[in-house]
Amino acid sequence: MATSGVATFNMAFTEIAEEAWERAGREMRSGYDLRTARRSMNLLTLEWANRGVNLWTIEQGTQALTSGTAEYTLPADTMDLLDYGIRTGSGATQQDVLIGRMDTSEYAGIPNKNVTGRPNRIRIDRQIAAPIITLWPVPDTNDYTLIYWRVRRIEDPGNGVETADTPARFLPALVAGLAHKLAEKDPALAGRVQALQLEAEKTFDMAAQEDREK
């Protein structure tokens, strides 16, 4: 028999929620079941972000630097920065030079924070509203551009009809993790929590081991 010839399977959030409730041990019956599943999925994806880097959330960004300005605000959905550098020139003369990261104690120990020049260090202050970066030395010209690779937040489920901001290789882990979270909420499903937790950990570990640069 011929195969389908397509490999586009994906799941809308409502389908993920239905599958998770069924795995937890009962059907999704009401709008509240859908809302509580959406809330649990948001918390689950934040938990994933805290576990480490998810490759599909890595994006490159740039920030034009202004002479005399050391602080800049990153996009609000930025979790952290992985690499960063200063770009000068353009076209055939373009050059990117990586810079180092410093923590708050290192920055506090710099005697003269107003020294100007080409920045070679960066401090990342992960504020609630949006991360703020501080460069040192302070840029002495408008000709520099900060280039960076950031880890962004996984997008929210939205109103329930969109697909998850998750590659297909992570769908089994997403469903298994959500089933575990939902079972924890329902006293009638308490007997399934441990088994669902083991399944959630197993599927996430499998996906995380595959989600790496090779």
Side-chain angles (χ1 to χ4, degrees):
M1 296 179 62
T3 61
S4 67
V6 296
T8 58
F9 173 76
N10 207 333
M11 301 174 73
F13 172 68
T14 50
E15 295 177 302
I16 293 172
E18 287 174 352
E19 179 70 15
W21 272 117
E22 290 169 0
R23 292 193 187 191
R26 70 171 179 84
E27 294 180 355
M28 185 173 69
R29 304 188 184 98
S30 66
Y32 177 77
D33 285 346
L34 183 62
R35 288 197 303 273
T36 193
R38 182 165 60 242
R39 186 166 61 244
S40 291
M41 182 169 158
N42 280 327
L43 292 171
L44 177 63
T45 55
L46 289 175
E47 186 179 300
W48 283 5
N50 287 332
R51 285 188 174 208
V53 176
N54 301 302
L55 291 187
W56 77 91
T57 63
I58 298 175
E59 297 178 345
Q60 184 178 355
T62 61
Q63 172 66 57
L65 303 185
T66 302
S67 178
T69 302
E71 288 191 356
Y72 302 85
T73 301
L74 295 174
D77 62 346
T78 302
M79 300 292 291
D80 202 357
L81 299 186
L82 299 178
D83 289 297
Y84 13 79
I86 299 297
R87 174 172 293 170
T88 57
S90 62
T93 63
Q94 176 178 299
Q95 287 191 331
D96 294 345
V97 178
L98 292 180
I99 61 178
R101 185 166 179 166
M102 56 181 168
D103 59 26
T104 301
S105 296
E106 290 179 273
Y107 182 69
I110 296 175
N112 186 352
K113 298 177 177 60
N114 297 316
V115 169
T116 62
R118 186 175 71 180
N120 56 45
R121 306 292 295 279
I122 184 173
R123 171 179 174 259
I124 304 170
D125 186 4
R126 298 165 70 183
Q127 294 288 318
I128 293 176
I132 297 173
I133 57 171
T134 305
L135 297 169
W136 188 86
V138 180
D140 60 349
T141 174
N142 294 334
D143 297 332
Y144 300 130
T145 299
L146 174 72
I147 55 170
Y148 58 83
W149 285 262
R150 72 183 185 116
V151 180
R152 65 164 176 82
R153 281 181 56 170
I154 299 173
E155 294 177 6
D156 301 341
N159 59 19
V161 298
E162 295 92 351
T163 56
D165 180 27
T166 309
R169 62 184 179 273
F170 264 84
L171 283 177
L174 184 61
V175 171
L178 183 55
H180 169 238
K181 296 295 185 187
L182 294 175
E184 285 185 316
K185 293 182 174 185
D186 191 337
L189 303 175
R192 303 175 65 92
V193 170
Q194 185 174 4
L196 289 170
Q197 182 179 18
L198 291 174
E199 180 65 16
E201 290 294 330
K202 182 184 75 173
T203 53
F204 178 83
D205 287 345
M206 289 174 61
Q209 289 173 16
E210 172 59 24
D211 192 52
R212 66 186 191 279
E213 294 181 344
K214 301 179 182 178

